Amino acid sequence: MNEVIKKAKQAKKAKAELVYQTTEAKNEALFLIGEALRSKQDYILEENHKDIECGKEKGFSPALLDRLSLNPERLNDIVDALSLLINLNDPVGERLETIHKENGLLIERVRVPLGVVGMIYEARPNVTVDAATLCLKTGNAVILRGSSSAINSNKALVRVIQEALAQSMLPKDAVQLIEDTSKETAKQLFTLNEYLDVLIPRGGKKLIDMVVRESTVPVLETGAGNCHIFIDKSAQSEMAKQVVINAKTQRPSVCNAVESLLIHESWAKHSGRSLLNALQTNGVEIRGDQLICELVPSAVPAEELDWETEFLAPIISVKTVSDIQEAVKHINCYGTRHSEAILTENEENARFFLTSVDAAAVYHNASTRFTDGFEFGYGAEIGISTQKLHARGPMGLEALTSSKYVIKGNGQIRI
Amino acid sequence: MNEVIKKAKQAKKAKAELVYQTTEAKNEALFLIGEALRSKQDYILEENHKDIECGKEKGFSPALLDRLSLNPERLNDIVDALSLLINLNDPVGERLETIHKENGLLIERVRVPLGVVGMIYEARPNVTVDAATLCLKTGNAVILRGSSSAINSNKALVRVIQEALAQSMLPKDAVQLIEDTSKETAKQLFTLNEYLDVLIPRGGKKLIDMVVRESTVPVLETGAGNCHIFIDKSAQSEMAKQVVINAKTQRPSVCNAVESLLIHESWAKHSGRSLLNALQTNGVEIRGDQLICELVPSAVPAEELDWETEFLAPIISVKTVSDIQEAVKHINCYGTRHSEAILTENEENARFFLTSVDAAAVYHNASTRFTDGFEFGYGAEIGISTQKLHARGPMGLEALTSSKYVIKGNGQIRI
């Protein structure tokens, strides 16, 4: 039997057992996994070293090699995150609705695990532990399909996790790793509707787009962020400078960093140059429209592609607009529905922007960098959903659950 | 420009206006639609008559012709349903979460419309009004793609709806009908991710399976119901008889009717014959396993296909099982995750069944026929979801909404 089918069958079997595990049993398993990751540190780092060596041979960039690397400190962070996860509320079993019918029927809607979660992801080995433990906490079985560049690390981590599960009340088969990292195994997961309840891609836009396009299994889309800040006519100059510099430069490589700036013409005239110079001082390249290039001659003229690009780098596209309508229209056209902000002292404009912009998170007078499960206080994050069904924005544990109606009677029939 | 693209563009434009309509404006539009459906009754019935004549020529079955037919009474029912809809709470704008951050940020999660809903459905013209008005109530634009057999009725209904919208505050283009009912237009909707936020198929299993398989637009799956009742060892004989006869015969053509019966061997021996005879007296054909055929010689021997068939007719498959584990395993293998019931006096078995059976609705000692938005008190029903993401079970208005984080600050930046 093919590896994917074999492991999918095992995961489906494990799911049937996971569904009636107590919170205590699940937390105990997470604790044992943490202990095992600590005690097997040398083994894990040795295996990770193989991936690094292999990556060097293949000429990976230093940034990629860094993302691939584990060390005692990073392993420690992973185990610390596990302790936090243990302390989070277990959403499974929560009553979401209670309906008492006149005929005596009691209808309750309760949270249940999704079942079997498929996770397709790139590079970083910490995602392996992250995905496995978030799924276990919510009573889900998981099938992991990481990338070939991290295969030795992933195999070691999953082996350690499965050994810990074998010591626990949870089924050892609840966490499965697809070891064949050829394209075919990823594609096989796309149509595994018989075994998979949901598929979560984590990685670059190309990967996510392919999963959305080709998967018949329902997908939880964690998308890219071409985020905008619109500086309205009445925006405070100093606030605008601080917020824009924070949103662009505090961590340019993440999805909630700002990529594009829209500036009201009249604001651009009195405060534009000062803001753009400050960005340049902070090492940011400006790609501007004509007015911007006139204000700051060192700016690069923007091309059409710049309005739709998520740079993930110290580059920003800047456009002037004649009013808020033009700004909203531009954002709804070029944005990726992630995080969008308006800076304004005009309450009516703020309201219009917050209502009209179609995005997971909309901000008034704050940096887009706050769109994050931990910042929102969720204690864990599966990713940031840019789709509209099921979950939108930072996804906590609840995004890994569904619900079910449980109806109790004493012989009621429908009349 | 192609009809589908043209109307999708109009719907997307309308969506941008719908997003800030008040509850009052939406309800007024619904009221005007009700008035118009009443005053244009003759025109609508004339157009419907054309579909009926056409259907007769094509040799449609009396059942299909009946589903296609409108008459003053049915139009009246449609308008009455509209009055109920007006009185339902508007979910849009509801605050689902409020987070006060220490740095002064106010984070609110609020309900918003999905955007543009695509609806692909078969035969019944009442779905046209239903879908359009449920979408309008929740601030969504809708693109309707009905079947060719109802095209004259659908054109008339949408024309009347659009004329009413033109009198209201809502954009007339919020409701669009694709008049070209060739297969190509349905397929075009499957990949219209740029314009559609969700696609809802309503109809037979074949249609739904095709949409799930081929659509890259997220789908709300309203699925088939191969529903089971498991009669446990300790089930009360009289209760079992009443519940099974109700679930099978009260309305055999609907998705929450029972299709398959699992009977504990020992119960079958003492009360099986009496129950099965009662079913036969009610006109139900029995397709049984060996033991059942021995108990009731007039039963037809069941074939493998009978365990997986949604008969939607007075036919029931009946199997004996040796324990509850076998029953649960059979249901999780053959069921369609719709509605599943256990009849038992054993609380522990009830708990095991309710937890282990993977379905939208699980029942203890009651008929499966209660799985219904109106029975649950939701006042409206989009359909019954058998998927696990976004919505599961009877879907009320909330299933047509998403949420968005609205964050208000005074210059906060991330440190």
Side-chain angles (χ1 to χ4, degrees):
Chain A
M1 197 186 314
N2 165 297
E3 186 199 1
V4 173
I5 301 289
K6 187 181 141 218
K7 293 189 171 169
K9 274 186 199 284
Q10 287 174 334
K12 195 174 177 179
K13 222 170 155 184
K15 138 182 153 174
E17 283 182 58
L18 280 168
V19 83
Y20 44 88
Q21 297 294 334
T22 62
T23 302
E24 290 68 36
K26 293 187 286 188
N27 283 342
E28 191 222 4
L30 294 178
F31 175 78
L32 292 171
I33 290 171
E35 295 289 294
L37 290 171
R38 243 192 255 284
S39 67
K40 303 285 167 57
Q41 175 179 308
D42 293 346
Y43 164 63
I44 294 167
L45 294 184
E46 248 167 57
E47 294 300 306
N48 178 249
H49 190 70
K50 292 183 191 168
D51 288 332
I52 300 297
E53 287 305 306
C54 199
K56 281 181 186 162
E57 264 172 46
K58 285 182 183 153
F60 284 5
S61 69
L64 187 53
L65 287 172
D66 179 61
R67 273 167 54 194
L68 203 51
S69 289
L70 289 175
N71 54 39
E73 202 191 329
R74 285 185 180 180
L75 263 182
N76 211 44
D77 288 348
I78 291 174
V79 178
D80 283 351
L82 210 43
S83 310
L84 290 176
L85 181 60
I86 290 172
N87 287 319
L88 287 183
N89 263 345
D90 181 357
V92 171
E94 192 191 336
R95 266 174 199 72
L96 300 168
E97 221 174 323
T98 304
I99 304 162
H100 293 274
K101 291 261 300 174
E102 275 181 21
N103 64 4
L105 273 189
L106 170 64
I107 304 174
E108 294 182 313
R109 191 159 70 93
V110 297
R111 264 194 208 286
V112 296
L114 283 172
V116 180
V117 175
M119 183 81 70
I120 300 184
Y121 57 104
E122 289 169 339
R124 286 199 275 190
N126 63 312
V127 175
T128 305
V129 182
D130 222 37
T133 54
L134 289 167
C135 284
L136 290 174
K137 175 83 188 191
T138 45
N140 292 292
V142 64
I143 300 176
L144 302 163
R145 163 61 173 74
S147 64
S148 59
S149 57
I151 187 65
N152 292 298
S153 315
N154 289 342
K155 274 158 88 168
L157 289 166
V158 170
R159 187 173 161 187
V160 170
I161 290 172
Q162 288 181 335
E163 281 170 9
L165 284 176
Q167 309 295 317
S168 81
M169 313 272 288
L170 268 51
K172 173 174 162 284
D173 287 341
V175 177
Q176 299 288 337
L177 176 74
I178 306 298
E179 300 188 0
D180 175 356
T181 55
S182 65
K183 235 189 185 136
E184 285 64 41
T185 59
K187 295 217 169 191
Q188 218 182 328
L189 289 172
F190 294 171
T191 55
L192 220 60
N193 299 55
E194 195 185 334
Y195 300 99
L196 284 181
D197 292 289
V198 61
L199 203 52
I200 308 179
R202 280 180 70 166
K205 189 170 154 47
K206 227 176 107 183
L207 170 73
I208 292 167
D209 284 352
M210 181 173 69
V211 175
V212 168
R213 203 171 52 239
E214 298 191 17
S215 175
T216 56
V217 175
V219 174
L220 268 186
E221 188 177 347
T222 57
N226 183 19
C227 305
H228 299 74
I229 294 177
F230 166 51
I231 303 177
D232 195 14
K233 197 172 175 176
S234 63
Q236 292 182 28
S237 298
E238 193 48 35
M239 186 197 291
K241 197 182 286 184
Q242 288 201 14
V243 167
V244 171
I245 287 177
N246 179 260
K248 182 67 248 179
T249 69
Q250 196 244 359
R251 206 170 160 201
S253 64
V254 292
C255 61
N256 56 20
V258 73
E259 304 291 7
S260 203
L261 204 55
L262 303 174
I263 309 182
H264 193 287
E265 279 167 5
S266 71
W267 196 95
K269 280 171 194 156
H270 61 73
S271 302
R273 185 173 294 134
S274 157
L275 168 70
L276 298 171
N277 286 341
L279 275 167
Q280 288 181 320
T281 307
N282 278 274
V284 178
E285 176 185 327
I286 313 278
R287 302 199 182 164
D289 66 6
Q290 199 182 341
L291 185 61
I292 295 299
C293 290
E294 282 165 18
L295 277 175
V296 184
S298 58
V300 179
E303 290 171 19
E304 174 64 18
L305 193 65
D306 291 316
W307 308 124
E308 56 192 48
T309 299
E310 186 188 17
F311 299 110
L312 299 172
I315 304 171
I316 197 165
S317 61
V318 188
K319 183 182 166 69
T320 45
V321 294
S322 56
D323 55 28
I324 187 171
Q325 279 77 15
E326 190 185 345
V328 167
K329 214 172 158 186
H330 179 94
I331 293 172
N332 282 340
C333 172
Y334 291 101
T336 53
R337 301 183 173 181
H338 194 295
S339 301
E340 308 291 353
I342 180 172
L343 307 181
T344 189
E345 297 302 302
N346 180 324
E347 281 299 323
E348 202 181 312
N349 279 6
R351 232 184 345 262
F352 176 76
F353 184 93
L354 297 173
T355 307
S356 302
V357 166
D358 191 8
V362 285
Y363 291 83
H364 175 205
N365 288 350
S367 168
T368 54
R369 287 280 291 114
F370 289 104
T371 307
D372 177 294
F374 294 95
E375 286 292 326
F376 283 13
Y378 294 162
E381 187 189 278
I382 322 297
I384 295 172
S385 162
T386 52
Q387 69 184 27
K388 289 188 177 176
L389 295 188
H390 190 67
R392 195 178 196 200
M395 296 188 282
L397 291 175
E398 295 175 0
L400 288 177
T401 67
S402 180
S403 67
K404 143 197 237 180
Y405 288 93
V406 177
I407 299 130
K408 295 172 185 163
N410 47 21
Q412 280 82 352
I413 59 173
R414 185 151 167 196
I415 303 157
Chain B
M1 199 187 312
N2 165 297
E3 186 198 3
V4 174
I5 300 288
K6 185 180 142 218
K7 292 188 172 169
K9 274 185 199 281
Q10 287 174 333
K12 194 173 176 179
K13 220 169 156 186
K15 139 182 155 175
E17 281 181 60
L18 279 168
V19 85
Y20 44 87
Q21 296 294 334
T22 63
T23 302
E24 291 65 39
K26 294 188 285 188
N27 283 341
E28 190 222 6
L30 295 177
F31 175 79
L32 291 171
I33 290 171
E35 295 290 293
L37 290 171
R38 244 193 254 285
S39 68
K40 303 284 167 56
Q41 174 178 308
D42 294 346
Y43 163 63
I44 294 167
L45 294 182
E46 248 168 55
E47 295 300 308
N48 178 249
H49 190 70
K50 291 182 190 168
D51 288 331
I52 300 298
E53 287 305 305
C54 198
K56 280 180 185 162
E57 265 173 44
K58 287 183 181 155
F60 285 3
S61 70
L64 187 54
L65 286 173
D66 179 61
R67 273 167 53 194
L68 202 53
S69 288
L70 291 175
N71 55 40
E73 202 190 329
R74 286 184 177 181
L75 263 182
N76 212 43
D77 288 348
I78 290 173
V79 177
D80 283 352
L82 210 44
S83 310
L84 290 175
L85 181 61
I86 290 171
N87 288 318
L88 286 183
N89 264 344
D90 182 355
V92 172
E94 193 191 335
R95 266 174 199 72
L96 300 168
E97 221 174 322
T98 304
I99 303 164
H100 293 275
K101 292 262 297 174
E102 274 179 24
N103 64 5
L105 272 190
L106 170 64
I107 304 174
E108 294 183 312
R109 192 160 69 93
V110 296
R111 267 195 205 286
V112 296
L114 282 173
V116 180
V117 175
M119 183 81 70
I120 299 184
Y121 57 104
E122 289 169 338
R124 287 198 274 191
N126 63 312
V127 175
T128 305
V129 182
D130 224 35
T133 54
L134 289 167
C135 285
L136 291 174
K137 176 83 188 189
T138 44
N140 292 293
V142 64
I143 300 176
L144 302 163
R145 164 60 174 72
S147 63
S148 59
S149 57
I151 188 64
N152 292 298
S153 315
N154 288 342
K155 275 158 88 170
L157 289 167
V158 170
R159 186 173 162 187
V160 170
I161 289 172
Q162 289 180 335
E163 281 170 9
L165 283 176
Q167 309 296 316
S168 80
M169 312 271 287
L170 268 50
K172 173 173 163 284
D173 286 340
V175 176
Q176 297 289 334
L177 176 74
I178 305 297
E179 300 188 1
D180 174 355
T181 56
S182 65
K183 232 184 187 142
E184 284 64 43
T185 59
K187 296 217 168 192
Q188 216 182 330
L189 290 173
F190 294 171
T191 54
L192 220 59
N193 299 55
E194 195 184 335
Y195 301 98
L196 284 181
D197 292 288
V198 61
L199 203 52
I200 306 178
R202 281 181 71 167
K205 188 170 155 47
K206 226 177 106 184
L207 170 73
I208 292 167
D209 284 351
M210 180 173 70
V211 175
V212 169
R213 207 171 49 241
E214 299 191 16
S215 176
T216 56
V217 175
V219 174
L220 268 187
E221 188 177 350
T222 58
N226 182 20
C227 305
H228 298 74
I229 294 178
F230 167 50
I231 304 179
D232 195 13
K233 199 172 175 178
S234 63
Q236 291 182 31
S237 301
E238 193 48 37
M239 187 198 288
K241 197 181 285 182
Q242 289 201 16
V243 168
V244 171
I245 288 176
N246 179 260
K248 182 69 247 180
T249 68
Q250 197 242 359
R251 207 170 161 202
S253 63
V254 291
C255 60
N256 57 18
V258 72
E259 303 291 4
S260 203
L261 204 55
L262 302 174
I263 310 183
H264 192 286
E265 279 168 4
S266 72
W267 196 94
K269 280 170 193 158
H270 63 72
S271 300
R273 186 173 292 135
S274 159
L275 168 70
L276 298 171
N277 286 341
L279 276 167
Q280 289 183 319
T281 306
N282 278 274
V284 178
E285 178 186 324
I286 313 277
R287 302 198 181 163
D289 67 7
Q290 202 183 337
L291 185 63
I292 295 300
C293 290
E294 282 164 19
L295 276 174
V296 183
S298 56
V300 179
E303 290 170 19
E304 173 65 19
L305 195 65
D306 291 317
W307 307 124
E308 57 194 47
T309 300
E310 186 188 18
F311 300 111
L312 298 172
I315 304 171
I316 196 164
S317 61
V318 188
K319 183 183 167 67
T320 46
V321 293
S322 55
D323 55 26
I324 186 171
Q325 279 77 17
E326 190 185 345
V328 167
K329 213 171 156 185
H330 179 96
I331 293 172
N332 282 341
C333 172
Y334 292 101
T336 53
R337 303 184 172 182
H338 194 294
S339 301
E340 309 290 353
I342 182 173
L343 307 180
T344 189
E345 297 302 304
N346 180 323
E347 282 297 325
E348 202 181 312
N349 279 5
R351 232 182 346 260
F352 177 77
F353 184 94
L354 297 173
T355 307
S356 302
V357 166
D358 192 9
V362 286
Y363 290 83
H364 176 206
N365 288 347
S367 169
T368 54
R369 287 279 292 112
F370 289 104
T371 308
D372 178 292
F374 295 95
E375 286 292 327
F376 283 14
Y378 295 162
E381 187 189 278
I382 322 297
I384 295 172
S385 163
T386 54
Q387 69 183 27
K388 288 188 177 176
L389 295 188
H390 189 66
R392 195 179 195 198
M395 296 186 284
L397 291 176
E398 294 175 0
L400 288 178
T401 66
S402 180
S403 67
K404 143 196 236 181
Y405 288 94
V406 177
I407 299 130
K408 294 172 186 163
N410 48 22
Q412 281 82 352
I413 59 171
R414 186 153 167 195
I415 304 157

